Amino acid sequence: MGEQNELQTLKKTTYAGETFEHPAISLPDTQKGQWTALLIFAGYCSTLGTAVPAGYCIGVMNSPGVFMRAWCKDILAWRNNTHLSAASLDLLWSAIISIFLVGGAVGSYAGAIVANKFGRKRCVMFCGLLFCTGGICFFLCRILNSIEMLVLGRFLVGLASGLTTSSLPMYLSEIAPLKYFLYPESPKWLYAIKGDREEAQVQLARLRGGNFKPNDFISEMDSGEDEDARGYLDVLKDRKLLLPLIIVCIYQGGQQLSGINAIFYYSVSIFRKAGLSDQEAEWANLGAGSLNLAVSLLGPFLMARVNRRPLMLVSSMLCSIFLLSFALMLHFIDDVSWFAAGCIACIYFYIFSFQFGVGPIPFFIGSELFQVAPRPVAMSLGSLSSWCCNFTVGMAFPTLQNMWGPFSFLPFSITCFIMFLLTMFYLPETRGRNPSEVAQIVSRGFHSKVL
């Protein structure tokens, strides 16, 4: 061989008086990269063309909901001579909102397949094409007086949103210059799943730097991790994985059933029911969204410095209390003058409490409860639980609200309390612990001692 690959160059490290040889990382200048015009263009355009429309499509049905419902009712009466009852109109509106979630579930599942088969760039471009097609459907639905066109558009933008969540992060991380975005691959994934011992040692050397001790490589890689990839049936049949799997599914599903989606899907109508005028409800909705964004910025800071159990305990309990208080105040709003303001305050305090525990923790708790081999299946099942519960809320909440009135928020309060109990008795502290250690703690299922 004329030239030697720079990543395979051996480096000598002295530790405790002994000298070891291990792979050294030496990146050629061509790999260090700069922020070129093309790179900036690709980053901005891919984000503005996919992530921004995805976020827009999630909440766009809220404010114009009254006018769109009236339009749907008028179209059916004019075209089919069908006069919908209030309950039937609620069901139709729920279907229009929830079809977005069906598309999101399909797109999220298909994202990895499409990105691997056709490439990241083509996948991102396909997302943009789907958004454009959905936008055309939205434009034509009123011209053609077609509710079906509106439903098709919602499904297409949902499909694009699901693809975006799977493909865009991969695309951006892989086109970013190594100088600014040099993420190593997981050594344990390389060693336990891929069986690539050499590359695992290279990546571990990068992570450990000057403290890397090659003689400790095997002990660290074999620290209780499974060596074979696990399929769905393998994970579901393994009784040692039952408790963490239940935690992941209830956390992700419970996050959607905690009321946050009902509030943001129907916040304007909720604020109207609390006694606000149409304009005041719009401003209150803007305030709720701004608060949600502001508090979410605290998430990374809290996750890095505060344990998971106390965050989840406090967050889930406060969410349960504020939702219960909101339901009671809304029910007796005509009897006490300040209950209208109290309802608004409960919504705002609920959003604040949600965003430092119930909001962020379910997304990553699976990666801290499961070892490398069963982790993809567990995260996939948790994601499936999330999408199904999100769909349930979108479909059922308007009907439930008409039947139960203010007490339609009680199931959300109960869900948050169930998450509180699950955390109290069955969630071990995972921050700063190796997943293999956590797996041993929860291996006895509901008989596990987590404290």
Side-chain angles (χ1 to χ4, degrees):
M1 299 292 289
E3 294 182 359
Q4 187 178 17
N5 189 323
E6 290 192 33
L7 290 179
Q8 302 305 316
T9 302
L10 294 179
K11 176 183 177 182
K12 292 185 178 181
T13 299
T14 301
Y15 179 80
E18 298 184 34
T19 300
F20 304 92
E21 287 188 336
H22 63 87
I25 305 303
S26 178
L27 295 173
D29 293 338
T30 55
Q31 285 186 297
K32 293 181 180 179
Q34 299 293 331
W35 287 108
T36 64
L38 177 60
L39 178 63
I40 296 173
F41 175 80
Y44 273 111
C45 288
S46 59
T47 302
L48 291 175
T50 55
V52 173
Y56 173 80
C57 291
I58 290 174
V60 70
M61 305 292 282
N62 192 358
S63 294
V66 174
F67 305 102
M68 295 181 69
R69 287 160 67 102
W71 175 79
C72 292
K73 186 175 182 180
D74 292 342
I75 289 299
L76 290 175
W78 170 77
R79 193 181 67 184
N80 301 331
N81 197 27
T82 301
H83 300 277
L84 296 181
S85 64
S88 298
L89 184 60
D90 285 339
L91 183 61
L92 174 61
W93 184 244
S94 299
I96 293 173
I97 289 178
S98 299
I99 197 66
F100 172 84
L101 304 174
V102 176
V106 175
S108 181
Y109 175 80
I113 300 173
V114 176
N116 288 333
K117 184 175 180 61
F118 299 104
R120 284 28 165 177
K121 184 181 76 170
R122 286 193 177 93
C123 187
V124 172
M125 293 174 66
F126 186 52
C127 291
L129 179 62
L130 286 173
F131 277 123
C132 289
T133 307
I136 293 173
C137 290
F138 295 149
F139 178 77
L140 293 177
C141 69
R142 190 169 184 180
I143 297 176
L144 301 177
N145 293 320
S146 173
I147 297 176
E148 295 82 2
M149 191 69 73
L150 173 62
V151 173
L152 176 61
R154 288 286 292 172
F155 177 78
L156 290 177
V157 296
L159 187 63
S161 299
L163 283 171
T164 296
T165 59
S166 300
S167 61
L168 183 62
M170 286 190 295
Y171 179 66
L172 293 178
S173 64
E174 291 171 0
I175 68 171
L178 297 179
K179 178 179 179 181
Y180 296 99
F181 208 92
L182 184 54
Y183 282 177
E185 184 54 88
S186 164
K188 288 189 177 181
W189 179 79
L190 290 167
Y191 183 80
I193 304 301
K194 293 284 288 183
D196 192 342
R197 173 193 175 100
E198 184 176 346
E199 182 63 18
Q201 191 169 0
V202 169
Q203 297 296 339
L204 189 62
R206 290 175 55 198
L207 288 168
R208 298 295 178 264
N211 296 322
F212 175 67
K213 297 178 290 183
N215 283 356
D216 292 340
F217 172 75
I218 295 298
S219 62
E220 183 163 350
M221 290 298 98
D222 290 337
S223 57
E225 297 281 3
D226 297 321
E227 295 187 3
D228 297 321
R230 307 287 290 276
Y232 282 93
L233 290 179
D234 294 331
V235 172
L236 291 172
K237 290 179 179 179
D238 193 338
R239 298 184 63 85
K240 292 182 179 180
L241 302 177
L242 176 63
L243 178 57
L245 192 60
I246 289 175
I247 292 174
V248 168
C249 291
I250 290 182
Y251 269 25
Q252 292 220 28
Q255 182 197 60
Q256 305 304 316
L257 295 177
S258 65
I260 192 68
N261 285 331
I263 287 174
F264 281 108
Y265 285 154
Y266 308 103
S267 56
V268 174
S269 62
I270 291 171
F271 287 131
R272 289 196 190 103
K273 289 181 182 294
L276 297 183
S277 66
D278 289 348
Q279 186 175 9
E280 289 171 341
E282 295 288 350
W283 282 107
N285 181 49
L286 177 62
S290 300
L291 176 64
N292 186 54
L293 174 62
V295 182
S296 66
L297 298 177
L298 297 175
F301 176 84
L302 290 174
M303 295 305 108
R305 292 167 175 80
V306 185
N307 287 346
R308 315 301 187 224
R309 276 181 56 86
L311 280 177
M312 195 65 185
L313 286 170
V314 174
S315 175
S316 56
M317 178 54 74
L318 287 179
C319 285
S320 179
I321 292 173
F322 287 129
L323 286 170
L324 177 61
S325 301
F326 174 78
L328 294 175
M329 288 185 180
L330 190 59
H331 182 70
F332 295 105
I333 194 169
D334 295 328
D335 300 329
V336 181
S337 60
W338 59 270
F339 271 13
C343 288
I344 309 300
C346 284
I347 292 296
Y348 279 36
F349 281 124
Y350 163 78
I351 293 173
F352 178 85
S353 304
F354 176 89
Q355 279 297 350
F356 67 78
V358 177
I361 290 178
F363 283 119
F364 64 81
I365 195 66
S367 63
E368 298 181 345
L369 286 171
F370 286 89
Q371 300 178 74
V372 174
R375 188 179 297 159
V377 170
M379 299 293 284
S380 177
L381 291 173
S383 180
L384 179 62
S385 173
S386 176
W387 280 106
C388 290
C389 291
N390 197 342
F391 176 81
T392 302
V393 171
M395 284 294 296
F397 181 72
T399 303
L400 198 63
Q401 196 175 30
N402 287 333
M403 292 173 55
W404 290 6
F407 294 111
S408 59
F409 285 88
L410 288 182
F412 301 142
S413 178
I414 293 172
T415 299
C416 292
F417 187 68
I418 291 174
M419 296 175 72
F420 170 83
L421 294 177
L422 185 67
T423 304
M424 172 69 75
F425 294 107
Y426 297 111
L427 178 70
E429 183 51 61
T430 59
R431 177 173 170 264
R433 280 180 167 173
N434 191 298
S436 60
E437 178 186 353
V438 177
Q440 290 297 320
I441 296 175
V442 296
S443 61
R444 298 184 63 238
F446 289 102
H447 298 289
S448 302
K449 303 295 182 180
V450 300
L451 296 178

